Amino acid sequence: MSDPGPSPQARLIEMMQRFRLPQAVIAATRLGIADHLASGSCTAEDLAARTGTDPRAVAALLLALAGADVLTVDDSGRYALAPLGELLRAERVPSRRAQVLNFAQQYQLWGEGLEYSLRTGRPAFEHVFGRAYFEYLERNPDQAAHWNASMEETAHELFAPLPGIYDFGRFSTVVDVGGGRGTLLATVLRSVPHLRGVLFDRPEVVADAPQVLEAAGVDGRVMVTPGDMFQTVPTGGDAYVLARVLWDWDDRAAGIILRRCRQAMPDRARLLVVEHVLPDGPRHPATGLSDLNLLMTFGGRMRTESELGALLAATGFAVREIRPLFGRHRLVEATPVAAG
């Protein structure tokens, strides 16, 4: 007789208990457990002394992390980093430390705000934290640092294929709108020696951009321009990039950003949207949670190819082609449509 597997009751309770492990990973990251283990294995007592924590509690935490393959433990009770744990180190590249720390806020948001968004269709972030997301970041530099670093952690692997997928050599100046600290722009400029760039984002975001651009060796070819993309976008480019920007906003707000880009662009220019774009047709169930998170955090949404195409058409653009990039991310090339 075949094993029927866990009962529905057991499966439900197991599903509800999954919140515990991520919280344990967040706590370990805040305590710097991975950094303490970077130089070699330790006992629970050693780590408790180094982190100023209770030995019994830390021993339970470490055991849980070993059970999840974040750490390893030998027969003598010494813990070491497993490959997952290596990603929590502050000085490691690639790292996921900032993303993990950023999730701590997401747990509070989901715990206190999901029902609000379900009832109202509005972002819950302001309801829970008192301010809209990006305004909150302006007033909370530590959280802003986690957010910016988490975006940069994923940017490297997301943007690395871009120069091999799309020919940027046809352009002279690329304007990266909402470009963060310049990881995408640096990736593109390194591959095209004649290309120049304009990095445009909120003042508190681009403040750290010179370090990123200098490290990439492209700082002499980039003009860093602080500003508000809802008000105006720099002119003078023949390619404009919106990477992981539009999905943070509802159609009204995203439409304003696109119109500001259209006003700044000459008719010959190209708009390049780099974003998680869903295929038309039935949606994969996994996208539901991502869509809810965008709504709750920013008021944004995931869009299908047709929905993004309609938004672009309504704001003065026509889609030329859509290319696969990384995972469900796509590179969407659009051209301005002449008014009239």
Side-chain angles (χ1 to χ4, degrees):
M1 180 180 295
S2 61
D3 182 359
S7 68
Q9 297 94 319
R11 290 175 58 199
L12 177 62
I13 298 305
E14 190 272 335
M15 178 176 67
M16 298 305 295
Q17 291 175 340
R18 289 176 189 168
F19 77 95
R20 296 174 177 174
L21 179 59
Q23 297 284 13
V25 174
I26 289 169
T29 305
R30 285 174 166 165
L31 291 171
I33 296 292
D35 296 310
H36 286 296
L37 289 172
S39 59
S41 63
C42 294
T43 65
E45 291 77 12
D46 293 335
L47 286 168
R50 294 184 187 185
T51 57
T53 53
D54 178 75
R56 176 184 171 278
V58 167
L61 173 68
L62 297 175
L63 192 61
L65 295 176
D69 296 327
V70 177
L71 304 178
T72 63
V73 59
D74 62 21
D75 292 340
S76 66
R78 297 184 68 85
Y79 289 89
L81 292 173
L84 289 180
E86 289 280 353
L87 294 172
L88 302 178
R89 289 173 51 191
E91 300 301 323
R92 186 183 188 276
V93 178
S95 174
R96 289 295 180 267
R97 181 178 183 275
Q99 283 181 276
V100 167
L101 294 175
N102 203 50
F103 274 120
Q105 189 181 62
Q106 290 291 309
Y107 280 109
Q108 183 178 352
L109 176 63
W110 276 73
E112 301 177 24
L114 177 56
E115 186 173 347
Y116 174 86
S117 288
L118 291 173
R119 292 188 180 279
T120 65
R122 296 176 55 78
F125 195 92
E126 185 171 359
H127 173 73
V128 174
F129 294 99
R131 298 184 184 277
Y133 189 76
F134 291 110
E135 184 182 356
Y136 179 89
L137 293 186
E138 289 178 12
R139 296 171 180 266
N140 293 271
D142 288 344
Q143 189 61 39
H146 293 328
W147 165 258
N148 291 331
S150 70
M151 291 296 98
E152 196 163 330
E153 283 175 356
T154 57
H156 288 288
E157 63 185 19
L158 172 61
F159 299 146
L162 267 178
I165 290 174
Y166 188 82
D167 177 19
F168 287 89
R170 73 183 85 173
F171 304 121
S172 61
T173 303
V174 174
V175 180
D176 192 357
V177 179
R181 294 192 285 188
T183 301
L184 180 150
L185 202 53
T187 299
V188 171
L189 264 60
R190 274 200 307 256
S191 70
V192 186
H194 74 264
L195 196 58
R196 305 190 69 81
V198 177
L199 179 64
F200 182 71
D201 210 321
R202 302 186 313 279
E204 71 276 9
V205 176
V206 298
D208 294 331
Q211 303 169 26
V212 174
L213 300 171
E214 182 178 2
V218 299
D219 51 309
R221 293 189 280 145
V222 179
M223 179 181 294
V224 178
T225 305
D228 181 355
M229 60 188 169
F230 288 98
Q231 300 299 321
T232 186
V233 167
T235 59
D238 48 2
Y240 283 71
V241 178
L242 287 168
R244 300 192 295 183
V245 170
L246 296 180
W247 66 356
D248 287 347
W249 307 99
D250 61 20
D251 285 352
R252 184 195 67 81
I256 294 173
I257 296 169
L258 287 168
R259 289 186 181 93
R260 295 294 177 263
C261 290
R262 179 64 188 93
Q263 290 165 2
M265 294 170 64
D267 290 344
R268 71 179 190 284
R270 295 287 186 269
L271 177 71
L272 304 174
V273 177
V274 178
E275 194 153 290
H276 190 152
V277 181
L278 302 174
D280 293 324
R283 291 180 54 175
H284 191 283
T287 64
L289 293 177
S290 297
D291 208 7
L292 274 174
N293 196 60
L294 287 170
L295 168 62
M296 293 170 63
T297 308
F298 314 105
R301 55 169 301 191
M302 301 181 76
R303 295 179 176 88
T304 65
E305 293 182 6
S306 294
E307 289 168 339
L308 180 58
L311 179 61
L312 289 166
T315 52
F317 295 95
V319 174
R320 285 175 55 90
E321 64 173 322
I322 300 177
R323 301 187 186 188
L325 183 56
F326 180 86
R328 292 190 178 94
H329 282 81
R330 299 292 182 266
L331 173 64
V332 180
E333 182 189 51
T335 54
V337 176

